[in-house]
């Protein structure tokens, strides 16, 4: 397909790799923020082709992986109610809550449906006026515009039996949290390209300055990832720390102003707990007062649910780049994509699942 | 779930007051909401995520990036900066 194949061209990839090798004189630790990039790096073995000492640390940018246990438990509680149709993206179904997952709730008789788009869930609500339809609205800034428009449509069209269980997370506060951690080893970031397609690049230069790290907005095809790495290393080698856009074909500086307007109308910033990491101040979005009626947490009164993580799972350390997945004792033994202990093993963008799928046992 | 992919607009329409398009992803066609790229026209490429166009794919810019990669490669051959 156009602009997928071109950006996986093997000759250009080899050339970019040679340039990365030529530019590198010292070890560097870079973090790719987005799980889509993690997937691409492991799938194409990019981390293994880099110069010795250049390490890719896999960041927390998989929304499935960082959705906190308490929110999964709320989803399970709502889905199990009679009369509810619970709709979700497919990869949330196997994410373990403190007891069960959505698959098990479905086997027990609940009406849990996988949809491709939140608008599909709204269509289900319209077709089933006597049922309560809830959509599990998770994701980063990339996904938020879809959920925002859907709830906006629900209000506009007067579809009252629809609500959103919201757990949106934001990338820039996560970068701050990673840099503020005393165990942080990250020296440069590949920022998530499609997040910036929506939000633009203006949030990042102040982070580059404050923490003295290059931030390169990066795409997802092999050449995109290599170019992001190359630009980060060139900056590090020259002692620079700037925000650069290596994915201009999909990222204008201002992002998507129409989408940002809708986001500002529907969502407001809130503190958000990240699975395995803890609460990061100002790192999420929730519905504004104008849309509170469409907030499933309020409609179903599940605001009080709290839960504790599995003791075995070290996904918190994986998500912060402190260990690689195979360093977890459960990896590939008691924890596999079919029987995941943690969310990082569930989503194909989770680091544990990527390592498992591509048989990566040594970093 | 976070992946967004480029697809080509086949035709546009309006459904319930919302701009929509049929978008082709290498042979697979899907309905995509154009609320955020309302002036997209048939033949254009869009970045699509969970049924929503979030950005136009700038073909000009894609071309330039690829040309830049090629140029960097030629420079490197010429000056032999290969380790
Ligand atoms: S391998 Fe499984 S148990 Fe270990 S950190 Fe990853 S998800 Fe958790």
């Amino acid at each position: 397909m156009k602009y997928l194949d071109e950006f996986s061209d093997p000759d250009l990839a080899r050339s970019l790799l040679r340039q990365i090798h030529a530019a590198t004189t010292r070890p560097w630790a870079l973090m790719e923020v987005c799980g889509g990039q993690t997937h691409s790096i492991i799938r194409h073995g990019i981390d293994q082709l880099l110069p010795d000492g250049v390490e890719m640390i896999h960041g927390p940018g998989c929304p499935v992986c960082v959705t906190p246990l308490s929110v999964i438990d709320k989803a399970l509680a709502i889905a199990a109610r009679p009369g509810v149709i619970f709709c979700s993206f497919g990869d949330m179904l196997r994410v373990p809550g403190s007891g069960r997952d959505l698959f098990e709730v479905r086997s027990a008789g609940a009406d849990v449906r996988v949809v491709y788009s939140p608008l599909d869930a709204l269509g289900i609500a319209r077709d089933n006026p006597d049922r309560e339809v809830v959509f599990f609205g998770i994701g980063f800034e990339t996904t938020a515009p879809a959920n925002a428009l859907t709830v906006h449509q629900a209000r506009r069209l007067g579809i009252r039996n629809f609500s959103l269980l919201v757990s949106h997370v934001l990338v820039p506060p996560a970068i701050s949290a990673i840099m503020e951690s005393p165990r942080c080893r990250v020296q440069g970031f590949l920022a998530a390209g499609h997040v910036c397609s929506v939000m633009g690049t203006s949030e990042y230069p102040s982070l580059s300055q404050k923490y003295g790290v290059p931030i390169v907005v990066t795409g997802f095809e092999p050449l995109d990832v290599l170019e992001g790495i190359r630009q980060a290393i060139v900056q590090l080698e020259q002692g620079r720390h700037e925000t650069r856009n290596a994915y201009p074909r999909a990222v204008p500086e201002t992002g998507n102003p129409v989408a940002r307007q809708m986001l500002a109308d529907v969502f407001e910033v809130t503190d958000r707990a990240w699975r395995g990491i803890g609460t990061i101040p100002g790192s999420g979005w929730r519905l504004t007062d104008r849309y509170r009626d469409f907030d499933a947490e309020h409609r179903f009164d599940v605001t009080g649910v709290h839960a504790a993580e599995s003791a075995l799972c070290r996904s918190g350390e994986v998500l912060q780049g402190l260990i690689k997945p195979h360093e977890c004792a459960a990896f590939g033994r008691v924890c596999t994509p079919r029987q995941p202990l943690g969310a990082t093993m569930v989503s194909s963008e989770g680091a544990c699942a990527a390592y498992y799928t591509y048989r990566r046992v040594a970093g | 779930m976070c992946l967004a992919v480029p697809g080509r607009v086949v035709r546009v329409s309006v459904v319930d007051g919302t701009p929509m398009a049929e978008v082709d992803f290498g042979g697979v066609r899907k309905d995509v909401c154009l609320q955020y790229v309302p002036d997209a026209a048939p033949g254009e490429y869009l970045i699509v995520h969970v049924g929503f166009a979030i950005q136009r794919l700038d073909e000009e810019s894609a071309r330039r990036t690829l040309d830049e990669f090629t140029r960097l490669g030629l420079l490197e051959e010429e000056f032999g900066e290969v380790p």
Side-chain angles (χ1 to χ4, degrees):
Chain A
M1 201 193 329
K2 197 156 187 186
Y3 301 124
L4 289 178
D5 301 345
E6 288 94 329
F7 283 89
S8 357
D9 180 88
D11 289 334
L12 287 178
R14 270 189 291 274
S15 160
L16 282 172
L17 264 170
R18 280 195 301 273
Q19 291 161 52
I20 290 170
H21 278 264
T24 308
T25 66
R26 275 177 285 171
W28 299 110
L30 306 178
M31 175 177 275
E32 83 280 1
V33 170
C34 176
Q37 292 162 341
T38 303
H39 187 90
S40 185
I41 287 168
I42 303 303
R43 172 172 178 201
H44 299 287
I46 289 174
D47 55 331
Q48 296 178 321
L49 300 169
L50 295 176
D52 286 344
V54 173
E55 183 191 353
M56 296 311 295
I57 299 177
H58 313 307
C62 159
V64 176
C65 304
V66 300
T67 300
L69 203 55
S70 59
V71 176
I72 311 276
D73 284 352
K74 286 173 189 173
L76 297 170
I78 294 170
R81 300 244 181 135
V84 165
I85 302 176
F86 193 88
C87 302
S88 169
F89 297 128
D91 37 7
M92 290 307 288
L93 265 58
R94 214 183 290 275
V95 177
S98 26
R100 315 185 278 177
D101 59 30
L102 282 166
F103 266 122
E104 285 161 5
V105 173
R106 179 158 79 178
S107 312
D111 193 345
V112 177
R113 302 189 192 177
V114 172
V115 293
Y116 160 67
S117 159
L119 278 182
D120 298 342
L122 191 61
I124 292 173
R126 189 162 15 185
D127 296 344
N128 295 272
D130 53 335
R131 308 276 299 273
E132 277 291 329
V133 175
V134 182
F135 181 71
F136 201 173
I138 64 149
F140 280 92
E141 294 95 323
T142 325
T143 317
N147 294 338
L149 181 79
T150 304
V151 73
H152 175 87
Q153 288 280 64
R155 203 173 71 161
R156 189 171 67 82
L157 301 172
I159 303 176
R160 311 294 309 176
N161 61 323
F162 177 82
S163 60
L164 210 56
L165 178 61
V166 184
S167 187
H168 276 298
V169 278
L170 306 172
V171 166
I175 289 184
S176 296
I178 287 160
M179 290 313 299
E180 308 257 344
S181 157
R183 293 169 74 186
C184 173
R185 296 192 296 117
V186 180
Q187 294 166 295
F189 287 93
L190 309 188
H194 292 142
V195 163
C196 298
S197 294
V198 173
M199 299 302 290
T201 56
S202 65
E203 297 172 282
Y204 297 93
S206 60
L207 295 173
S208 287
Q209 287 311 315
K210 181 169 180 194
Y211 299 109
V213 285
I215 299 178
V216 182
V217 176
T218 302
F220 300 84
E221 299 310 316
L223 296 191
D224 293 318
V225 174
L226 287 168
E227 177 63 4
I229 294 171
R230 188 188 74 80
Q231 290 197 21
I233 288 181
V234 166
Q235 281 199 47
L236 286 166
E237 290 280 345
Q238 297 175 353
R240 291 188 292 129
H241 41 81
E242 292 152 15
T243 293
R244 286 270 173 260
N245 183 2
Y247 193 36
R249 71 183 184 282
V251 178
E253 208 181 311
T254 53
N256 185 323
V258 188
R260 288 170 67 186
Q261 182 60 48
M262 178 70 79
L263 290 169
D265 182 40
V266 173
F267 293 124
E268 64 191 13
V269 170
T270 182
D271 295 349
R272 184 70 73 202
W274 294 53
R275 191 169 198 165
I277 295 178
T279 298
I280 304 177
S283 68
W285 273 330
R286 66 170 176 210
L287 292 167
T288 53
D289 275 341
R290 298 180 58 203
Y291 289 92
R292 196 69 77 221
D293 294 355
F294 292 92
D295 189 335
E297 284 196 46
H298 288 265
R299 191 173 294 187
F300 296 92
D301 194 23
V302 288
T303 43
V305 173
H306 293 286
E309 303 268 354
S310 144
L312 267 184
C313 177
R314 299 180 68 188
S315 65
E317 291 160 273
V318 172
L319 288 167
Q320 294 174 77
L322 299 174
I323 63 165
K324 293 277 192 272
H326 57 84
E327 293 171 276
C328 167
F331 176 84
R333 298 187 182 88
V334 279
C335 180
T336 64
R338 292 178 64 91
Q339 288 284 325
L341 282 185
T344 42
M345 189 57 100
V346 176
S347 163
S348 62
E349 290 149 41
C352 296
Y355 272 59
Y356 187 88
T357 306
Y358 299 109
R359 303 263 177 276
R360 190 67 66 80
V361 286
Chain B
M1 60 150 284
C2 220
L3 279 186
V5 284
R8 188 176 50 84
V9 178
V10 180
R11 73 174 67 85
V12 296
S13 59
V14 174
V15 180
D16 289 334
T18 304
M20 299 288 295
E22 188 178 330
V23 174
D24 180 277
F25 300 92
V28 181
R29 291 190 175 186
K30 284 204 150 111
D31 290 328
V32 167
C33 177
L34 290 189
Q35 177 81 17
Y36 299 126
V37 193
D39 51 348
E44 281 190 301
Y45 282 80
L46 303 174
I47 309 278
V48 177
H49 175 64
V50 299
F52 283 72
I54 54 169
Q55 202 45 268
R56 188 177 253 113
L57 191 147
D58 182 3
E59 296 196 45
E60 214 1 82
S61 166
R63 231 341 93 217
R64 264 203 306 276
T65 302
L66 288 168
D67 289 348
E68 180 65 12
F69 290 163
T70 310
R71 194 185 64 83
L72 284 169
L74 291 177
L75 275 182
E76 161 216 307
E77 261 169 46
E78 205 161 311
F79 297 112
E81 283 202 298
V82 187

